[in-house]
Amino acid sequence: MSHFTTQLLPSRASNLGILHLNNPSSLNALTLDMIKSMTSTLEQWGSSGIRATLMDGAPNERNGKIKPAFCAGGDVKAVYLAGLENASLTSDFFREEYKLNYMIATQQIPQVSIWDGVVMGGGVGLSIHGKYRVATENTLFAMPECKIGLFPDVGGSWWIPRLNKLYQENDVVGGIGNYLALTGARLKAEDLLYSGIATHYIKSDRLGELKQALIESTTSDAATNDCVASVLMSFHDLTIDTESAFLSKNRNEIDEAFLGKQSVEEIVFKLQNMNTPFAKTTLDTLGLMSPTSLKVTLEGLKRALKFNHVGESLAMEYRIVQACMKKKSDFYEGIRAALVDKDGEPKWNPVRLEDVSDKVVEGYFADLGDDELNLGGMNSKL
């Protein structure tokens, strides 16, 4: 069944399917209507001869200035309001979002996502599971969910602990993965290329040219399942200096504090004893986060590292997020402080890491019974 909203403008040019996020007033924040529309569009394209998809976002225009944007995340304020009224959006939104994430992760054609502008939360979920992610000089990427009483979801538990797998030891979560998930660090293009989160770097003034080249590539009769790979490489700007990236320059300290750590307390203890500017700044950042979110996030990353498929991560995340939707959870306080009253002073409960017990953390991973996430042919039961 097709689902239409002006917040998503799908189109086709030759054999390239184009998904244009069109909710610019909120930096293309993802709504349930957008999720359903994208799902139905991808289902229709599945047997239509589409050879690749391109996803981009409408820029925000305000006071005569144009601000590029990909997607600033999910519409969590709408979910917050629904939760206060016990409305079904608290389950419907995440169920449909995670199913879309899974569809993108398992599709057979390459997806090219243009990260020109802000890329956060739900916007990451729409793109990170696709084959190609193009950063520009305007890219600002983050998974800041711990600051609003959530956790890096939309498949974050799958890809985050697998970052820079080459550098991991003894099958533990890497330092960069733990650091990004717990601090919500904001990354620029250099960081994204350094860490492998982005696959290409292309200057924004070449994006129109790139789009035309991608369209033309899908008309080729060449017997290949990936008609866009060579196009992307021909546009990739090799002058980007990944060694100047924040993650690169601070890599040793990131690994010292975060690599393979089994508890948030262990990370905090290490930072307290490092006595460096990086350590102090990072401690201050962690102090802003929900203690419960920090502990649940780290536990989820450790569990997901043992999974064999992204579907398992999404199923686990659905359990966690439904626990976050319960009344009096830190999610409601986080959204109140950030998006409703906007006082920036959430009252976390509990307020100290040591008061978040193992039993409380375990409760976030409890089986949902008949309400478990159903991914169709994928056996997502944990």
Side-chain angles (χ1 to χ4, degrees):
M1 180 183 296
S2 61
H3 192 99
F4 175 76
T5 173
T6 57
Q7 294 176 336
L8 179 76
L9 302 179
S11 61
R12 177 172 181 160
S14 186
N15 291 317
L16 180 70
I18 301 171
L19 296 162
H20 185 63
L21 307 177
N22 189 47
N23 191 13
S25 63
S26 61
L27 300 180
N28 301 314
L30 196 60
T31 65
L32 183 58
D33 280 342
M34 293 168 73
I35 293 168
K36 289 183 175 181
S37 178
M38 190 176 297
T39 299
S40 64
T41 298
L42 290 175
E43 288 173 344
Q44 292 170 25
W45 283 352
S47 58
S48 67
I50 292 288
R51 299 186 63 192
T53 57
L54 173 68
M55 190 181 297
D56 63 8
N60 175 272
E61 298 185 31
R62 185 175 298 175
N63 300 325
K65 296 183 178 180
I66 298 178
K67 181 179 183 179
F70 179 73
C71 177
D75 189 357
V76 288
K77 185 176 179 180
V79 173
Y80 161 88
L81 293 172
L84 295 179
E85 300 296 328
N86 295 314
S88 64
L89 187 65
T90 55
S91 56
D92 295 346
F93 181 88
F94 294 105
R95 182 179 62 252
E96 297 304 319
E97 183 182 28
Y98 293 3
K99 288 168 69 175
L100 174 59
N101 298 151
Y102 181 73
M103 176 183 288
I104 291 170
T106 56
Q107 64 186 346
Q108 299 302 305
I109 57 175
Q111 174 177 299
V112 180
S113 299
I114 306 299
W115 284 350
D116 191 34
V118 64
V119 186
M120 293 185 182
V124 176
L126 291 179
S127 50
I128 195 73
H129 304 296
K131 191 170 185 179
Y132 301 115
R133 289 88 59 191
V134 177
T136 76
E137 74 277 10
N138 300 315
T139 305
L140 179 63
F141 177 106
M143 294 291 283
E145 287 81 1
C146 287
K147 197 172 183 179
I148 56 170
L150 280 176
F151 63 101
D153 64 335
V154 290
S157 65
W158 174 255
W159 65 268
I160 290 174
R162 290 166 175 79
L163 284 176
N164 284 4
K165 185 69 174 176
L166 177 65
Y167 300 101
Q168 292 184 21
E169 302 172 359
N170 303 321
D171 219 22
V172 296
V173 179
I176 286 180
N178 278 337
Y179 173 73
L180 297 183
L182 298 177
T183 67
R186 297 189 170 201
L187 306 182
K188 297 183 178 180
E190 292 81 1
D191 298 293
L192 297 171
L193 268 294
Y194 171 78
S195 59
I197 297 173
T199 58
H200 298 82
Y201 175 70
I202 300 173
K203 295 285 183 64
S204 61
D205 60 8
R206 299 198 69 195
L207 293 178
E209 185 183 352
L210 170 65
K211 182 176 180 180
Q212 187 57 43
L214 291 172
I215 292 170
E216 293 174 359
S217 75
T218 65
T219 66
S220 169
D221 293 328
T224 175
N225 291 328
D226 192 339
C227 57
V228 300
S230 60
V231 173
L232 289 168
M233 279 309 302
S234 70
F235 279 81
H236 179 52
D237 189 341
L238 295 172
T239 64
I240 186 168
D241 181 13
T242 57
E243 293 308 307
S244 70
F246 175 87
L247 294 180
S248 175
K249 292 190 291 186
N250 293 278
R251 180 61 185 270
N252 289 339
E253 289 187 81
I254 290 172
D255 281 349
E256 183 179 352
F258 290 89
L259 175 62
K261 298 299 187 290
Q262 297 301 302
S263 70
V264 182
E265 288 91 341
E266 187 180 355
I267 292 170
V268 169
F269 180 80
K270 187 64 180 179
L271 288 167
Q272 288 171 337
N273 286 277
M274 286 170 62
N275 195 29
T276 66
F278 167 83
K280 183 181 184 307
T281 299
T282 304
L283 279 170
D284 289 344
T285 299
L286 291 175
L288 300 174
M289 307 299 173
S290 157
T292 302
S293 289
L294 290 175
K295 286 200 169 184
V296 170
T297 293
L298 185 60
E299 178 63 23
L301 295 179
K302 292 190 296 181
R303 293 188 184 205
L305 189 60
K306 301 175 183 178
F307 293 161
N308 296 312
H309 197 279
V310 64
E312 294 175 277
S313 279
L314 290 166
M316 178 188 73
E317 290 174 8
Y318 190 70
R319 291 180 177 180
I320 301 172
V321 83
Q322 289 308 290
C324 291
M325 293 302 103
K326 294 178 180 179
K327 292 291 179 61
K328 297 184 179 180
S329 81
D330 275 355
F331 167 71
Y332 293 94
E333 181 60 16
I335 297 301
R336 180 206 62 76
L339 300 176
V340 181
D341 297 338
K342 299 182 180 180
D343 57 27
E345 298 181 1
K347 305 297 190 295
W348 305 127
N349 182 27
V351 71
R352 302 189 309 167
L353 279 170
E354 54 266 38
D355 293 331
V356 183
S357 68
D358 292 344
K359 182 178 180 180
V360 167
V361 173
E362 187 65 31
Y364 280 77
F365 298 84
D367 192 305
L368 297 175
D370 293 340
D371 294 326
E372 290 275 83
L373 181 66
N374 182 359
L375 295 173
M378 167 67 192
N379 181 9
S380 57
K381 293 291 287 185
L382 300 173

